[in-house]
Amino acid sequence: ETGVTQTPRHLVMGMTNKKSLKCEQHLGHNAMYWYKQSAKKPLELMFVYNFKEQTENNSVPSRFSPECPNSSHLFLHLHTLQPEDSALYLCASSHADRINEQFFGPGTRLTVL
Amino acid sequence: GESVGLHLPTLSVQEGDNSIINCAYSNSASDYFIWYKQESGKGPQFIIDIRSNMDKRQGQRVTVLLNKTVKHLSLQIAATQPGDSAVYFCAELKAAGNKLTFGGGTRVLVKP
């Protein structure tokens, strides 16, 4: 609907698992973002990529590892997560000069057991 | 304002009435102020933005007002419809920055 797709939509993983979240945008944008949305905090920016280069890491723990192979795809690799990492992970994209107008995917609901 | 846990501020509105959603901000150096809408099961959706050198901007059925004196932002929705039921977030883009900072959100419930 928004031109930004995310897979999987739901993910349950143990603390020792390794998993990856995928985001793809079909809007011709050149900036992509990962956000975390949890029940107890406002929407938190995690990472920003402009033209495939990471330009922002908002003090995110190293157990979250982003990857941006091209302007249309963004991954978030997950490793040895904690139960408090359970949240909705949202991907967004925009034109690099229109950061105020971001297009969000539907999110991946992550549960860490 | 800020929300805590699931206890988002909630605005109940009768269908057809006008809605006003408020947001306070603290950073005077922001370049843009933006409103996003998030429906259940979906990601946030851009509604409207306003530059910091403006005090009013109108869209389709929505108006955003910016009062820099008291650092207050509001979103007015005219003739509220059931499809307007959602959580509304204000956000700010700091001057020369490359990231949005979101507020805690307000839940709007439209009663038929």
Side-chain angles (χ1 to χ4, degrees):
Chain A
E1 295 178 9
T2 65
V4 181
T5 58
Q6 290 187 244
T7 54
R9 293 294 308 275
H10 300 272
L11 178 63
V12 179
M13 59 187 289
M15 289 189 284
T16 58
N17 291 160
K18 287 184 181 181
K19 296 288 184 182
S20 295
L21 310 184
K22 179 182 176 182
C23 175
E24 183 173 359
Q25 59 95 2
H26 308 275
L27 300 169
H29 290 159
N30 41 34
M32 297 189 77
Y33 313 82
W34 279 117
Y35 288 88
K36 176 183 178 182
Q37 188 172 39
S38 57
K40 297 188 176 181
K41 293 183 180 181
L43 199 60
E44 297 175 89
L45 178 69
M46 299 175 72
F47 301 103
V48 179
Y49 277 83
N50 282 298
F51 298 94
K52 302 186 299 178
E53 298 298 319
Q54 187 181 128
T55 57
E56 184 81 25
N57 176 336
N58 205 24
S59 303
V60 180
S62 59
R63 57 186 184 269
F64 295 91
S65 174
E67 179 189 359
C68 188
N70 55 60
S71 293
S72 299
H73 294 85
L74 186 65
F75 295 89
L76 188 62
H77 304 299
L78 314 173
H79 177 49
T80 59
L81 295 192
Q82 305 298 312
E84 58 265 29
D85 296 321
S86 298
L88 182 69
Y89 289 85
L90 290 158
C91 172
S93 70
S94 75
H95 291 294
D97 60 351
R98 286 282 296 168
I99 300 167
N100 47 317
E101 188 172 354
Q102 296 181 16
F103 291 74
F104 283 80
T108 295
R109 174 67 63 185
L110 174 68
T111 302
V112 182
L113 300 176
Chain B
E2 197 83 338
S3 65
V4 178
L6 295 173
H7 302 288
L8 292 175
T10 299
L11 176 67
S12 289
V13 183
Q14 197 70 40
E15 182 179 354
D17 287 352
N18 296 335
S19 304
I20 300 176
I21 307 162
N22 298 302
C23 182
Y25 65 92
S26 57
N27 188 349
S28 300
S30 294
D31 205 22
Y32 274 97
F33 296 90
I34 310 106
W35 283 100
Y36 278 81
K37 169 188 180 183
Q38 186 173 20
E39 297 175 79
S40 181
K42 297 183 179 180
Q45 177 186 3
F46 174 90
I47 301 174
I48 191 168
D49 62 6
I50 186 168
R51 291 201 70 153
S52 58
N53 61 355
M54 300 171 64
D55 52 22
K56 181 179 180 179
R57 189 174 183 210
Q58 288 186 292
Q60 188 177 14
R61 275 201 313 120
V62 295
T63 301
V64 57
L65 299 177
L66 177 63
N67 186 331
K68 292 180 284 294
T69 302
V70 295
K71 298 183 180 179
H72 185 266
L73 182 73
S74 69
L75 178 71
Q76 301 178 3
I77 305 173
T80 311
Q81 302 169 0
D84 296 324
S85 292
V87 176
Y88 290 80
F89 296 95
C90 61
E92 55 185 313
L93 177 64
K94 293 177 174 54
N98 68 344
K99 61 181 182 180
L100 293 181
T101 302
F102 282 84
T106 297
R107 190 183 306 279
V108 172
L109 297 175
V110 181
K111 298 178 288 185

